[in-house]
Amino acid sequence: PADRAIRDLLARVLPNPRLFRLALIAAWFGKPFAGLLPGRLGALLALAPTSVPGPSHSDRPGSHPAVGPRRKRAALLVGCAQQVLAPQINEATIRLLNRHGVEVVVAKGADCCGALTHHMGKTDLSDAAAKKTIDAWIAEMDGEGLDAIIVNTSGCGTTVKDYAYQFREDAEYAPKALRVAAIARDVTEFLAEIGLSAPVIETGQAIAYHSACSMQHGQRIKDPPRTLLRGAGFEVKEIPEAHLCCGSAGTYNMLQPEIAVQLRDRKVRNIESTKAAAIAAGNLGCITQIATGTGLPVVHTVELLDWATGGPKPEALRDSLAFAGPDRSPGAAARAAE
């Protein structure tokens, strides 16, 4: 009963941004006592951040126009947990795509992709969320049209690309799911297709690229993120035992905290052995998990690509001497004056 209760709690809260935000605020009060609580409860509190960003403009349905002539039109999955924990990832994705001539639309009615609940075997919840999101994207495809559906969390991307199989026996949704899955792309996969513009700042820092299990094993995407980072001027460091999991794996680090910590510590040792200045990954769960075990800054790949091609410096890099240099973020001049 206790196991079912915690799984039900996670399945109801994590995919719901409003409930998740409220849960994180409540966790602030319990976080100091995380070490005193048993197993899973302590792990849940330990993973909770010390602060939660406010809602972002990138969460809201609407269109973000391309800079210059429009080359493509793409829908962005803003995700559920990601928009609460790290809205800067979606913001960087939108800026980066707009700068490359891509109009980005956040489809009205799009919900969670259903990945977390699907992994937990709660197919009634996952199918309902996926169907709502599929309908929202089909409306855009049949309206102004879409060239791609962009996903910047590899765990979600694996699920969206698998919709055709997930709904293969559903007479109504099988054809819709097939259309959606056919144009789903990881953001790095899509950028590799359209080409990354030349960097506008001097980079050259050593970046340890962590490929999430859902990226390298699930989607079989290996070269595009590395090639893009090199094209942006970074030195990409390969991580020993790169095929191993970091311990995040959706809700695994909450449901199996002891094993997850062992995996995290092994991953961190391998990463730190590269002597990289920062860590890049394409999955929020990995970013959150790895960051709990190292002092190195951990950022999403698109944050680095956005910065290199004219966007703001990622917040996680602002105190790093290796990344000291011009800050093009809004308000940078005011902060410098202060």
Side-chain angles (χ1 to χ4, degrees), residues 46 94 124 190 202 213 256 293:
I94 291 171
D124 54 339
F190 181 73
E202 184 178 352
C213 296
Q256 301 290 343

Side-chain angles (χ1 to χ4, degrees), residues 16-34:
N16 186 315
R18 290 182 181 178
L19 285 179
F20 188 37
R21 191 179 298 276
L22 289 173
L24 289 176
I25 293 172
W28 291 344
F29 299 99
K31 195 171 177 65
F33 307 101

Side-chain angles (χ1 to χ4, degrees), residues 146-171:
L146 292 176
D147 296 296
I149 293 168
I150 304 299
V151 188
N152 56 15
T153 300
S154 60
C156 300
T158 305
T159 294
V160 173
K161 288 182 176 182
D162 207 36
Y163 276 169
Y165 182 81
Q166 183 176 338
F167 293 102
R168 67 195 182 282
E169 296 179 353
D170 188 311

Side-chain angles (χ1 to χ4, degrees), residues 25-154:
I25 293 172
W28 291 344
F29 299 99
K31 195 171 177 65
F33 307 101
L36 302 177
L37 295 174
R40 294 174 178 176
L41 291 177
L44 287 173
L45 286 179
L47 285 169
T50 54
S51 63
V52 180
S56 168
H57 69 281
S58 64
D59 306 340
R60 297 191 291 269
S63 178
H64 303 266
V67 176
R70 190 179 83 177
R71 301 167 59 191
K72 302 281 185 179
R73 187 173 192 266
L76 174 66
L77 175 67
V78 296
C80 43
Q82 180 166 280
Q83 66 174 273
V84 176
L85 290 171
Q88 74 275 7
I89 295 173
N90 288 333
E91 292 169 1
T93 302
I94 291 171
R95 284 192 305 266
L96 182 61
L97 292 174
N98 287 166
R99 194 179 304 121
H100 285 76
V102 181
E103 178 187 355
V104 179
V105 58
V106 177
K108 184 178 181 180
D111 201 343
C112 171
C113 70
L116 282 173
T117 46
H118 187 69
H119 297 165
M120 298 171 75
K122 298 183 180 296
T123 53
D124 54 339
L125 294 176
S126 65
D127 285 1
K131 286 179 177 180
K132 187 177 178 182
T133 301
I134 288 170
D135 284 337
W137 286 336
I138 290 292
E140 289 292 340
M141 293 170 74
D142 291 342
E144 293 188 48
L146 292 176
D147 296 296
I149 293 168
I150 304 299
V151 188
N152 56 15
T153 300
S154 60

Side-chain angles (χ1 to χ4, degrees), residues 280-319:
N283 189 62
L284 175 67
C286 301
I287 292 171
T288 304
Q289 173 78 350
I290 293 171
T292 62
T294 182
L296 288 173
V298 191
V299 295
H300 195 288
T301 307
V302 294
E303 292 184 86
L304 291 173
L305 299 178
D306 177 46
W307 176 52
T309 57
K313 183 184 295 182
E315 186 67 36
L317 303 180
R318 295 235 169 102
D319 295 329

